[in-house]
C-alpha cells in the first residue's frame, strides 16, 4: 500500500498525539564504499571505564550530552539523543567474588533489525557493512522504531521543534572514509576491536578457549535475535549485567516485538499504530472528501 505522506502524518497525529516533520539529512548513504560484514568486539574484561569512547563519540558526532546525560540515567538504558554510548558500571557478586564491570552501551546494529522492520517509511536501513543508519528526510516522527527496538536504543529529541531519532550510526561515515569508528579508535585498553564480524567471532572464541577462567563461554550478539554486528565477551553471565536474554530468532515487526518482550506500553503503542492503519484504510475506502490544505501541510509537500 502506497501511503500518502500527508495523510499518514495526520494518522500519526491522531494516534500518537504527535506530528513531527523532518529537517535536512544527517547522514546520506555511502553504501558503495563501505566494507561489507563489519563488526565490533567489545571485551568487557578489558574495559576500565575511562570514558574515552564516550568522549570520542560525542566529539565526532557533535553531541552535547551535558544536559541530556543528567537525565539519561533515568531512562531505560541510559542512552539519550545526545549520548549514544557510555560505559555503565555494574557491581555484582558471582561465585562469592566481587566484580566491577563496565558495560559499553550503544546500538547493537542487529543483522535483522526490528527498528528497520517497524519503520513504515524506510527512514532506518541496514547498510551492507552492518551499520543501521537513519535518514531524517524520510522520518515522520512516529517513533515505532523506539517501540520495536529490543535494546531500547533509539532516542527522540523531545525538546526540539523538529525532533529526530538519534542513535549510534556505527560511524558509517567514518567507515566510508576508510576509518574505524571513533570509539574503538580512542579506546586505550583494547576493549574494542573493529574488524570483520566472522573474524571477530573466531577471535572471541580463541580468547574464551585461551582463558576460560576469566570469560563466560558465551559471545553475546553472535546469535541473539538473529545476531548483531556488535559482539560482547564478559567475565560474568550476561544477564547479571543487564543484557536481555533473547532467543535466536529475529523480531521482524512491532506485533512480534510485543510477543517477544512486550509491555503494556508497547502493546498500547502497537494498538495505536494498528488503529492508525485501520483508520487510514477506512478513510481510503470512503469517497474522498476535498479539504483545503492548511498552510503548514502545503509547506511540507
Ligand atoms: S539495537 Fe535497536 S536500534 Fe540498534 S539495530 Fe537493533 S533494533 Fe535497531
Ligand atoms: S560506533 Fe561511532 S556512533 Fe557508535 S558508539 Fe562508537 S563512536 Fe559512537
Ligand atoms: S575507552 Fe575503552 S576502556 Fe575506556 S571506557 Fe571506553 S571501552 Fe572502556
Amino acid at each position: 500500500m502506497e501511503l500518502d505522506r500527508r495523510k499518514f502524518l495526520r494518522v500519526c497525529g491522531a494516534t500518537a498525539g504527535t506530528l513531527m516533520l523532518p529537517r535536512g539529512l544527517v547522514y546520506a548513504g555511502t553504501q558503495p564504499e563501505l566494507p561489507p560484514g563489519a563488526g565490533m568486539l567489545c571485551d568487557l574484561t578489558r574495559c576500565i571505564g575511562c570514558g574515552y569512547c564516550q568522549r570520542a563519540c560525542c566529539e565526532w558526532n557533535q553531541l552535547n550530552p551535558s544536559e541530556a546525560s543528567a537525565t539519561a540515567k533515568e531512562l531505560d538504558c541510559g542512552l539519550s539523543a545526545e549520548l549514544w554510548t557510555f560505559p555503565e558500571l555494574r557491581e555484582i557478586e558471582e561465585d562469592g567474588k566481587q566484580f566491577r564491570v563496565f558495560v559499553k552501551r550503544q546500538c547493537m546494529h542487529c543483522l535483522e533489525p526490528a527498528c528497520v522492520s517497524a519503520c513504515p517509511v524506510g527512514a532506518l536501513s541496514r547498510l551492507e557493512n552492518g551499520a543501521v543508519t537513519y535518514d531524517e528526510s524520510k522520518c515522520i516522527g512516529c517513533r515505532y522504531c523506539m517501540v520495536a527496538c529490543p535494546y531500547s536504543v533509539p532516542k527522540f529529541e523531545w525538546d526540539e521543534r523538529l525532533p529526530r531519532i538519534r542513535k549510534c550510526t556505527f560511524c558509517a561515515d567514518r567507515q566510508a572514509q576508510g576509518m574505524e569508528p571513533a570509539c574503538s579508535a580512542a579506546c586505550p585498553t583494547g576493549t574494542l576491536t573493529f574488524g570483520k564480524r566472522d573474524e571477530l567471532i573466531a577471535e572471541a572464541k580463541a580468547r574464551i578457549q585461551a582463558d576460560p577462567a576469566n570469560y563466560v563461554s558465551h559471545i553475546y550478539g553472535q546469535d541473539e535475535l538473529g545476531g548483531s554486528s556488535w559482539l560482547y565477551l564478559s567475565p560474568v553471565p550476561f544477564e547479571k549485567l543487564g543484557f536481555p536474554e533473547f532467543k535466536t530468532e529475529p523480531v521482524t515487526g512491532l506485533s512480534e516485538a510485543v510477543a517477544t518482550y512486550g509491555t503494556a506500553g508497547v502493546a498500547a503503542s502497537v494498538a495505536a499504530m494498528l488503529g492508525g492503519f485501520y483508520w487510514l484504510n477506512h478513510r481510503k475506502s470512503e469517497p474522498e472528501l476535498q479539504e483545503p490544505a492548511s498552510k503548514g501541510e502545503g509547506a511540507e509537500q
Side-chain angles (χ1 to χ4, degrees), residues 46-54 87 104 183 186-189 191-192:
R46 301 182 179 188
C47 183
I48 57 172
C50 62
Y52 283 18
C53 53
Q54 175 183 330
K104 182 184 180 297
C183 54
C187 178
T189 64
T191 299
L192 300 170

Side-chain angles (χ1 to χ4, degrees), residues 178-216:
M179 293 186 284
E180 69 177 297
C183 54
S184 56
C187 178
T189 64
T191 299
L192 300 170
T193 308
F194 177 67
K196 289 190 171 173
R197 185 177 183 271
D198 51 358
E199 292 174 7
L200 293 176
I201 290 173
E203 168 66 18
K205 286 179 178 170
R207 289 187 198 176
I208 294 171
Q209 196 171 19
D211 195 3
N214 279 321
Y215 290 103
V216 292

Side-chain angles (χ1 to χ4, degrees), residues 1 3-16 19 144 271-286 288-289 291 297:
M1 177 182 64
L3 291 179
D4 176 287
R5 187 164 177 268
R6 184 148 53 94
K7 280 183 181 171
F8 190 84
L9 286 169
R10 274 199 235 125
V11 171
C12 291
T15 55
L19 190 154
Y144 297 160
M273 181 198 76
L274 296 176
F277 278 117
Y278 172 80
W279 183 86
L280 180 65
N281 279 327
H282 190 66
R283 288 265 305 177
K284 282 180 92 72
S285 64
E286 289 175 352
E288 192 72 23
L289 291 175
E291 294 174 22
E297 285 174 330

Side-chain angles (χ1 to χ4, degrees), residues 106-116 124 132 145 148-154 167-168 228 261:
Q106 76 294 302
C107 173
M108 294 290 286
H109 296 279
C110 305
L111 303 189
E112 300 188 56
C115 59
V116 173
L124 287 152
V132 176
C145 55
C149 174
Y151 298 102
S152 303
V153 166
K167 72 169 195 69
C168 158
S228 52
Y261 48 85

Side-chain angles (χ1 to χ4, degrees), residues 53 56-57 61 84-85 104 106 109 168-171 181-183 230:
C53 53
C57 178
N61 295 295
W84 297 355
T85 189
K104 182 184 180 297
Q106 76 294 302
H109 296 279
C168 158
T169 63
F170 203 0
C171 283
C183 54
W230 280 68

